[in-house]
Amino acid sequence: MAYVDHAFSISDEDMMMEGSHVDNNRGPIKEIALAVALLVFGTLGIVVGILMAMNKVGGDRAHGLFFAILGGVLFIPGFYYTRIAYYAYKGYKVCVSMKLCRNSIPLCNGNKLSTMM
């Protein structure tokens, strides 16, 4: 028989021999926190940018316009993922191929997009 080094092998038997495997079935808290943070900082960036542009902070309107654009870049994904988390919390049949939705909505059909009716 040939010698096989099992120190670096990964198989189902290795996981089964380690004992019971407990899945942590909590919601995707980190993803939701990141989405809400993007939404909040994006909104603040847009508001502060508009105020800076109106009052010409920094001598011209370019600084305010920059902050407003930066706020918009943060706001768009923050709003999108916060909306998905809200729909998952409410139990709507909306699914996209992302970790947040796969863990939260059991009616997900793989990568297909199910829309609300």
Side-chain angles (χ1 to χ4, degrees):
M1 290 216 135
Y3 173 74
V4 178
D5 186 12
H6 292 285
F8 297 106
S9 68
I10 299 174
S11 68
D12 292 336
E13 292 176 4
D14 293 338
M15 290 181 192
M16 291 170 36
M17 295 177 82
E18 291 176 5
S20 64
H21 179 68
V22 177
D23 272 340
N24 196 359
N25 228 2
R26 294 182 351 197
I29 296 171
K30 291 180 184 178
E31 289 85 359
I32 294 172
L34 177 63
V36 171
L38 285 172
L39 180 68
V40 168
F41 286 123
T43 305
L44 286 175
I46 291 171
V47 170
V48 169
I50 290 172
L51 291 175
M52 286 175 66
M54 286 174 37
N55 295 325
K56 294 184 180 180
V57 175
D60 59 356
R61 294 179 189 226
H63 291 90
L65 184 62
F66 172 74
F67 272 95
I69 291 172
L70 182 62
V73 168
L74 293 175
F75 177 81
I76 291 171
F79 175 75
Y80 177 75
Y81 288 117
T82 303
R83 180 181 60 92
I84 295 294
Y86 175 75
Y87 286 166
Y89 174 74
K90 286 294 188 177
Y92 292 129
K93 296 178 184 176
V94 176
C95 185
V96 293
S97 59
M98 58 181 266
K99 182 179 179 183
L100 176 69
C101 189
R102 282 191 304 247
N103 290 341
S104 300
I105 302 176
L107 300 174
C108 184
N109 296 330
N111 291 334
K112 296 179 183 176
L113 178 64
S114 303
T115 57
M116 295 181 342
M117 299 268 176

